Every structure is written in C-alpha cells, then in structure tokens.
Amino acid sequence: MDRHSFNSTAAFLRDGYAFASSRFDAWGTDLFTTRMLLHPTTFIRGEEAAGLFYDDDRLTREAAMPPTVQHLLQDRGSVQALDGEDHRLRKAAFLSLMHADAMSRLGEMFAEEWTGMLEAMPGPRRIVLHGFAREVLTRTACRWAGVPAGVTDARALSSELGMMIDNVAKVGPANWLAQLRRRGTERWAAGLIDDVRDGRLDPGEGTALAVFSHHTDARGERMTAEVAAVELINILRPILAVARFIVFAAVALTRHPQWREAFAEGDESDLEPFVQEVRRFYPFFPAVPGRVREPFTWRGHRFDRDDHVILDLYGTCHDPRLWQDPECFDPRRFRGFSWDDDPNTLIAQGAGRHSENHRCPGEWSTVELLKQAVRLLASPNLSVPSQDLSIPLNRFPTLPRSGFIVHHHGPPHAES
C-alpha cells in the first residue's frame, strides 16, 4: 500500500502521466497498491504486466471505470465492457471494418477533407491545428462510417465528441455538461440506427453504420438501437481523438526537422516508424483500468476477485527495459517492428492481440490517418511560427500549450 497517502485520486489528477512511473521508479517495483476514489487499486507497469492485464481470463473491463469516465468514453453495453463470446463477436464486427482497403479509403477521405477545408478558408490561413484536425477527422469519420453528409453539422458534432475526451478526467460542471451533450449525441446516433433498420437510410454495405445496425450477439439477437448508437460513437470519437496524435506529429516534425525534410522530398521509407514513434513517445492516454475476475498471484501480490487494477500505458511506453533511451525521439527503433512480435511493448492504445482480447481495434486507422497527416504537414507550403510547444504531463489529456499553430502560405492543392 502507498504509505504516503490514504487516497491518491487527487495526486493522480495532479501528477498526470508521471503519477505511476514516478512511484515505480522511486520504489524499484512494477507494482504498488494505493486507493483511487477510496477503492484499493493496484498499479502495474511493463511488458509482463501488459500481458497479464490483457489476459481476459483474469481481468475484465466491466465496472472498472468510474461511471463519469465510462459514460464519456464507452458507456454501458459497449464492446470494452463485454467478455467471452459476446466480446469476440462484437470485436469481430469492429475488426471487419479495419481491412486494408477500408484503411486506404479512410486515408484518402482524410486527405480530401483536409484539402477541402483549406480551400474553404478565405484569406491568409492561420490554423490552430488541434481544432482544425478535429473537424477534418469528424468529417472523415462520418463519411467513412456511412453517415450522410446532410444529417449532421460536422462542427457541432466535433465539439460534442471533443467534450467527451477533454472532460473525461474532470469533475463537476464540465464533466456534467459533457455527459449531457453526449446524451444528445447518442439520441442522434440511435436515430440513424432506426433509419437504417426501417429502410429510410442506406449507409452502404460494410460501413460502420450498416455493420452496427445489423450486428447480432451470440444468441442471434440484434443490439438495441441505444447500444448500436454507443458503438457507432465508439468509431467516431476515437477517430476524432487522433487529432492529438496529429498535433504531436507536428511537434515532432518541428523539433526534428530532418524527418520533415525527408518526407517533403518523398522519402517515406521511415514514415511508418516515425508514426509509431510518435505513438510511443508522446502522451496520449495515461492508463487503463480493469477489475479482477478470478483470484491470482503475481509478483508476490494476491489479486482477489473484484480488485481494481490499473495498467500504466505511458510508463510502459517509456520503460527503459523495453526501449533504449526512451526519452529520446528516434523513429529508427521501429524499423521492422511488428505487433505480432511485440504485442505488449508499444501499448499507447492497449496491449495484447487485436483478434484475441481487448486491444483497441482502431490502431490501424490511427496509423493510416497519422501517415496521411504527416504527408500533409510536411508540405513546404506550411510554416510553424514561434510558440510554446511544451507539453505538460500534469494534465490529461494533454496538448502543447499553444495548441500548435501553423501558417498555410500556398494553394491548398499543393498538399494533395
């Protein structure tokens, strides 16, 4: 037990991404127990810990998050809250959307929407990248998921989805407002599901809207419109969240200009390693919670049924036992990298194997969108003015203090 604090919730919110790692390092351990929201909670870190955490026979995601967090990020009935055959079937529905052709279409749509938004901007183009990328990604996500362009306001939807992410670690009015806005988003999404089921809307075969409208569980029963709406949002919201990675990629291109120069000249041999290093190096989501299903012992610690466990994602991605010079940004470390070979090391979006457990099925879409974004950001028609690019680790989710500002000088077509 953490002897220094009866309850570490405030310290976790205050210290942010460094909370767990600072204690692991100080105490020379990959495991410690404290209290979060007054519940005894064990934090774990490292490759072995990641494999343990994503062993679905031992831990579950059900009832692992505080209700305010669960409602904003997943909500009841989502794939992350399922186990066993129901999880396998629902996860297969998500994975059916992530094949190579679908990822190529997603990337192409993103580039088209990026260019289209630039074309629509009159006069000099001064862009706060995070907000710009969010709207581009919202337009892209809706189009790719089969949501007709005429049934939503992309800017408003971008704001609603963004509030779910921005306010997840907050308490009080900001969180309450985000939950209220989410309920409106869920009603909108459930209306789309009903329209598809009643034949009023044809989103196109194989799109997310079609897949979740017609998905059936292990008993052959169709999801309620409300649960199907949750899963549609679980496609749209994570795509919007890639905006943070896009901003981090822009920071990396600015601080390491040799990579921007290489990509601008058309040398993409290290494009995917660059993207993977962005995902490893920069702070995305700090940790993921779980709850023990069946008692077991690890590293001399007894885990009892219903115990709360938190895997340190950021700390594992910066674990010096896994990564040489982990505080150094070096894409070369990912040359020849394969998730199949190392499923529990690069865990910015979860660990394990995509087809077997709760690892995020959206990693392929993240990588594809980031590759397209890096190509666009490497354009010679973009410049980066002087600004504060420091990234505070004591708040989450985090961003550079400036939000990252870029100036666009040339015709938008130059980026295509």
Side-chain angles (χ1 to χ4, degrees):
M1 181 71 70
D2 180 352
R3 299 185 300 275
H4 302 285
S5 176
F6 174 73
N7 179 38
S8 293
T9 306
F12 180 70
L13 295 174
R14 181 190 66 240
D15 297 347
Y17 294 85
F19 170 82
S21 287
S22 63
R23 288 154 176 79
F24 289 133
D25 294 340
W27 300 333
T29 181
D30 283 335
L31 178 154
F32 69 88
T33 298
T34 184
R35 287 184 176 88
M36 300 292 292
L37 298 175
L38 300 179
H39 293 291
T41 302
T42 300
F43 282 78
I44 57 177
R45 174 185 70 170
E47 182 177 11
E48 184 181 347
L52 172 81
F53 188 91
Y54 278 81
D55 180 347
D56 292 340
D57 292 332
R58 290 178 170 176
L59 289 105
T60 179
R61 309 300 170 270
E62 185 179 4
M65 292 184 177
T68 55
V69 175
Q70 183 182 23
H71 184 221
L72 290 183
L73 288 187
Q74 298 174 3
D75 213 352
R76 290 183 297 273
S78 75
V79 64
Q80 288 292 336
L82 300 177
D83 294 301
E85 184 66 4
D86 281 334
H87 174 262
R88 187 191 68 79
L89 288 173
R90 188 83 62 81
K91 183 68 171 288
F94 275 88
L95 291 173
S96 73
L97 303 170
M98 303 299 166
H99 57 85
D101 288 345
M103 293 299 92
S104 294
R105 288 199 302 274
L106 179 66
E108 291 166 1
M109 290 176 183
F110 174 79
E112 291 167 4
E113 295 294 340
W114 177 290
T115 300
M117 277 192 60
L118 284 179
E119 288 178 334
M121 292 181 177
R125 295 174 175 86
R126 178 185 180 274
I127 300 169
V128 179
L129 183 60
H130 186 239
F132 176 81
R134 274 187 165 182
E135 187 170 345
V136 171
L137 287 164
T138 301
R139 293 173 182 270
T140 303
C142 287
R143 182 177 162 192
W144 181 74
V147 178
V151 302
T152 188
D153 180 334
R155 183 165 296 179
L157 181 59
S158 175
S159 174
E160 292 170 6
L161 296 172
M163 289 180 71
M164 299 176 199
I165 300 166
D166 296 342
N167 297 296
V168 68
K170 296 178 181 178
V171 294
N175 186 281
W176 302 336
L177 178 59
Q179 292 195 59
L180 179 64
R181 293 284 293 275
R182 171 162 181 136
R183 283 194 285 271
T185 308
E186 289 177 347
R187 288 192 294 271
W188 164 80
L192 292 176
I193 300 295
D194 286 335
D195 285 346
V196 173
R197 290 176 174 177
D198 292 342
R200 293 187 295 270
L201 178 63
D202 181 7
E205 185 178 356
T207 62
L209 180 52
V211 166
F212 295 131
S213 294
H214 302 301
H215 177 75
T216 56
D217 62 20
R219 294 162 294 284
E221 298 175 356
R222 204 162 56 177
M223 292 185 288
T224 65
E226 290 72 23
V227 172
V230 165
E231 298 298 38
L232 179 61
I233 293 170
N234 282 338
I235 286 288
L236 303 179
R237 187 201 64 254
I239 289 178
L240 175 131
V242 176
R244 292 181 185 272
F245 274 136
I246 290 173
V247 173
F248 295 143
V251 172
L253 290 169
T254 301
R255 291 190 165 171
H256 308 278
Q258 71 274 22
W259 295 105
R260 178 177 179 174
E261 292 167 6
F263 301 141
E265 292 170 359
D267 180 0
E268 296 191 352
S269 56
D270 281 322
L271 178 58
E272 185 157 329
F274 179 89
V275 164
Q276 300 292 23
E277 179 69 343
V278 167
R279 296 177 63 239
R280 181 201 71 84
F281 183 81
Y282 289 98
F284 189 57
F285 207 73
V288 60
R291 191 168 54 83
V292 176
R293 297 182 65 183
E294 298 294 338
F296 65 94
T297 299
W298 183 69
R299 300 283 181 93
H301 179 85
R302 170 77 175 182
F303 292 83
D304 290 319
R305 185 190 299 273
D306 292 331
D307 279 358
H308 289 254
V309 183
I310 293 181
L311 174 65
D312 183 8
L313 300 178
Y314 181 76
T316 300
C317 286
H318 288 255
D319 187 340
R321 296 165 301 179
L322 302 178
W323 313 100
Q324 185 176 3
D325 297 325
E327 302 309 319
C328 174
F329 182 86
D330 185 2
R332 295 173 299 178
R333 72 174 85 243
F334 283 106
R335 289 173 178 170
F337 172 78
S338 168
W339 276 317
D340 291 334
D341 296 335
D342 297 292
N344 299 319
T345 55
L346 178 59
I347 63 168
Q349 293 174 264
R353 300 186 185 280
H354 299 92
S355 60
E356 298 174 8
N357 35 48
H358 282 80
R359 188 177 192 120
C360 175
E363 280 187 297
W364 289 293
S365 59
T366 299
V367 170
E368 179 61 32
L369 290 165
L370 273 175
K371 287 163 68 174
Q372 287 286 2
V374 168
R375 292 185 180 107
L376 294 161
L377 289 167
S379 165
N381 297 303
L382 292 177
S383 66
V384 180
S386 178
Q387 60 191 288
D388 186 355
L389 295 182
S390 62
I391 300 171
L393 294 180
N394 62 351
R395 72 182 189 198
F396 51 76
T398 192
L399 279 171
R401 296 183 192 277
S402 66
F404 201 92
I405 297 166
V406 294
H407 290 160
H408 189 277
H409 305 288
H413 300 291
E415 291 163 321
S416 61

